[in-house]
Amino acid sequence: MKIRHIDLGEHPVLLAPMEDVTDPAFRLMCKKFGADMVYTEFVSADALIRSVGKTMQKLNINDEERPVAIQIYGKDTATMVEAAKIVEETRPDILDINFGCPVKRVAGKGAGAGMLQNIPLMLEITRAVVDAVKIPVTVKTRLGWDNDHKIIVSLAEQLQDCGIEALTIHGRTRAQMYTGEADWTLIGEVKKNPRIHIPVIGNGDVTTPQRAKECFDLYGVDAIMIGRASFGRPWIFKEVKHYIETGEELPPLSFDWKMDVLRREVLDSVNLLDERRGILHVRRHLAASPIFKGIPNFKETRIAMLRAETVKELFSILDYIKGNYTL
Ligand SMILES: Cc1cc2nc3c(=O)[nH]c(=O)nc-3n(C[C@H](O)[C@H](O)[C@H](O)COP(=O)(O)O)c2cc1C
């Protein structure tokens, strides 16, 4: 699959943009395990044009993680255009527009998935951003606002006509937020539409290598995107890529190996931020890791992990787990 000159190979598997998750350290780690493209967390166009320090930091990318997309959101055309130009100067490979975020503070104000209630404005912003920058512009959105307005099949054509060069579809409506199951049938419909010539990236509930392959096979998408299943499990890209390429599961990765990866994730996060903020950021990922699933009486240890404030404390909990649980 290609997005303009960016060749992502066959059956690309992408790391989804996720606020407070896809910082440079995590993106790089996923990239090393095989993610074919990574996305920054979404960046507010309003904050960007005001040069808010914390927001500007989100534009930090490094060459090792390429190809990388920076994602922006906003609800005003002029602001989005200005933000897009600021983003372009930081030289990402792609600029992605978020029309999918369902949370109240974003969608409730008309940005993100809120734009699914104002399609003319969504298209105006998309056209203006495409015209404002030279890099490829892509869009990530949902099936529609709610069950009665699943408009993605016609919307995909309209967005394509605005000049976007790929479309990511999360198989839920805004009303669903993150509940229920992602429905890939309409994603497949978009892909089947003979008028659609841009790559279609499917997203939602891909949690196993088998499901990843099924999504390619059943719905014909050009790429799949993985979000939550990468929490505390960045090696999912290695598992998925191997399965797609060979049709076989990767030989099981040992518990110790996975623990070492998580330790590295802690250190990367601390090096990127500082000890306090790095730990705050990463301890939630660790506590959510599927490698601890099924361990009897693990609740206390998980709580201790969520309360850890230093690397030493967190590592001693990981040592305790290693010494006290046999998996
Ligand atoms: C913690 C969290 C933060 C997210 N932040 C973003 C974001 O910044 N931009 C975006 O387009 N989607 C965001 N999403 C949505 C994901 O990119 C993805 O569409 C969604 O989680 C469904 O994919 P999954 O089932 O593989 O997780 C976020 C999701 C989660 C759970």
Side-chain angles (χ1 to χ4, degrees):
M1 162 188 150
K2 269 187 169 177
I3 299 177
R4 201 182 294 176
H5 57 280
I6 305 161
D7 191 349
L8 299 175
E10 269 186 53
H11 301 114
V13 183
L14 318 181
L15 170 66
M18 286 185 286
E19 188 179 25
D20 290 334
V21 179
T22 56
D23 63 17
F26 189 69
R27 297 197 302 262
L28 200 54
M29 183 161 260
C30 292
K31 169 91 192 178
K32 283 185 182 153
F33 285 125
D36 294 290
M37 182 156 86
V38 297
Y39 290 66
T40 63
E41 51 190 309
F42 67 177
V43 184
S44 155
D46 282 321
L48 263 189
I49 69 163
R50 284 185 282 117
S51 301
V52 175
K54 217 171 134 199
T55 302
M56 299 306 282
Q57 271 177 17
K58 292 184 182 168
L59 301 183
N60 289 343
I61 51 175
N62 61 60
D63 282 339
E64 283 171 87
E65 58 177 305
R66 288 185 189 281
V68 55
I70 292 183
Q71 188 189 62
I72 58 171
Y73 72 97
K75 61 176 196 319
D76 170 71
T77 308
T79 309
M80 286 290 274
V81 163
E82 207 179 319
K85 288 180 180 162
I86 296 170
V87 167
E88 187 175 37
E89 284 183 10
T90 65
R91 298 184 41 253
D93 299 279
I94 283 172
L95 172 67
D96 190 63
I97 309 179
N98 178 313
F99 292 137
C101 178
V103 303
K104 226 174 174 179
R105 82 187 144 86
V106 176
K109 291 184 184 150
M115 210 58 84
L116 287 162
Q117 287 192 304
N118 190 348
I119 302 302
L121 181 58
M122 179 195 279
L123 300 177
E124 179 187 299
I125 288 177
T126 307
R127 254 189 309 268
V129 169
V130 166
D131 288 346
V133 296
K134 293 193 184 68
I135 53 174
V137 175
T138 59
V139 161
K140 179 168 178 281
T141 188
R142 291 184 171 229
L143 302 177
W145 179 257
D146 60 20
N147 204 30
D148 297 330
H149 301 89
K150 289 186 176 172
I151 54 166
I152 192 63
V153 175
S154 59
L155 178 62
E157 288 190 13
Q158 291 171 298
L159 287 166
Q160 176 179 272
D161 292 344
C162 293
I164 63 165
E165 297 187 46
L167 175 65
T168 304
I169 306 166
H170 174 190
R172 285 189 173 82
T173 61
R174 189 274 169 173
Q176 280 180 289
M177 307 291 284
Y178 289 96
T179 62
E181 260 176 47
D183 174 5
W184 279 65
T185 51
L186 284 179
I187 303 176
E189 292 290 306
V190 172
K191 181 59 206 170
K192 260 191 267 159
N193 178 352
R195 268 217 62 217
I196 293 290
H197 55 77
I198 55 172
V200 175
I201 302 162
N203 168 240
D205 298 346
V206 176
T207 57
T208 62
Q210 289 77 2
R211 179 61 182 158
K213 184 164 183 327
E214 199 173 78
C215 288
F216 277 113
D217 293 347
L218 293 180
Y219 305 106
V221 289
D222 299 284
I224 59 165
M225 179 184 270
I226 295 180
R228 290 165 295 175
S230 66
F231 288 3
R233 186 188 172 191
W235 54 83
I236 189 172
F237 292 98
K238 188 177 166 79
E239 296 170 328
V240 166
K241 293 293 290 185
H242 182 86
Y243 189 78
I244 289 172
E245 276 158 24
T246 66
E248 284 173 19
E249 281 184 31
L250 200 65
L253 301 163
S254 74
F255 185 72
D256 285 357
W257 182 87
K258 291 175 181 171
M259 288 286 264
D260 284 346
V261 171
L262 295 185
R263 270 175 223 269
R264 207 168 348 125
E265 194 177 334
V266 172
L267 293 176
D268 286 354
S269 183
V270 165
N271 287 338
L272 179 81
L273 302 162
D274 54 49
E275 179 158 23
R276 199 186 67 79
R277 288 186 303 144
I279 294 289
L280 275 179
H281 174 84
V282 82
R283 64 188 186 183
R284 287 181 298 126
H285 298 198
L286 256 55
S289 178
I291 73 169
F292 306 126
K293 255 199 193 133
I295 297 183
N297 306 319
F298 193 69
K299 198 171 158 204
E300 300 273 303
T301 313
R302 178 170 285 120
I303 291 172
M305 233 189 252
L306 285 168
R307 289 190 177 145
E309 288 185 352
T310 62
V311 173
K312 203 169 156 213
E313 221 179 309
L314 200 48
F315 277 16
S316 73
I317 297 169
L318 294 180
D319 287 340
Y320 171 81
I321 295 169
K322 217 166 147 177
N324 286 271
Y325 297 108
T326 43
L327 283 171

